[in-house]
Amino acid sequence: MQTILTDFYILQSYEQGENGAYTAYISLNKDHEIFKGHFPENPVTPGVCMMQIVKELSEEFTGLPLFLKTASNIKFMAIINPFETPDLKLQLDITQTDGDVKVKNTTFFGETIALKMSVNYQKLTS
């Protein structure tokens, strides 16, 4: 899997459901450089990094290069501290149309919802 977030997370496993439903289990690297600056003594996973993880997982599951076209209903509902809750579950509902891929995501640590968002990606041609 290609990623611009080098060593930021590991895809531990995933399950494919019906009609484009996927559940991915990832672990954040608490020692990554990003957490030293965001924020010192109080590490928080940046929201933009969580959005990038969703994009990369969507690319992995569809086998397509994608470009973020629109994002809506983005709700960061809980802080993800990589030292306290490094293991995350991401539920992705992926729908493909001619030129687009729509993804609805809910990200959890334990039973806590950390992120909900809906995004629309454009399929890129090689």
Side-chain angles (χ1 to χ4, degrees):
M1 179 165 79
Q2 281 193 338
T3 176
I4 65 169
L5 296 173
T6 306
D7 297 325
F8 188 73
Y9 69 98
I10 295 171
L11 175 60
Q12 298 290 356
S13 65
Y14 70 90
E15 302 163 359
Q16 183 175 357
E18 296 181 13
N19 300 322
Y22 293 85
T23 302
Y25 300 90
I26 69 167
S27 295
L28 298 174
N29 175 5
K30 64 180 176 46
D31 297 319
H32 196 277
E33 289 292 317
I34 286 174
F35 296 118
K36 292 177 183 170
H38 197 271
F39 296 98
E41 307 301 319
N42 187 24
V44 174
T45 304
V48 69
C49 291
M50 289 306 305
M51 292 178 68
Q52 181 65 27
I53 290 169
V54 170
K55 177 185 177 280
E56 291 176 2
L57 291 174
S58 298
E59 289 177 325
E60 176 73 12
F61 299 150
T62 62
L64 298 166
L66 302 172
F67 179 80
L68 180 63
K69 191 172 175 182
T70 60
S72 60
N73 298 320
I74 301 171
K75 296 178 184 173
F76 296 101
M77 302 173 76
I79 292 173
I80 301 171
N81 180 319
F83 286 86
E84 296 173 5
T85 54
D87 299 319
L88 305 176
K89 177 175 83 171
L90 291 86
Q91 293 177 332
L92 295 94
D93 291 316
I94 301 173
T95 306
Q96 294 189 49
T97 59
D98 288 340
D100 293 337
V101 174
K102 294 180 181 184
V103 179
K104 288 185 180 180
N105 165 252
T106 305
T107 300
F108 299 85
F109 55 83
E111 298 298 315
T112 301
I113 297 174
L115 168 64
K116 291 180 95 172
M117 70 175 191
S118 297
V119 291
N120 191 20
Y121 299 108
Q122 178 181 347
K123 295 177 187 177
L124 297 177
T125 54
S126 303

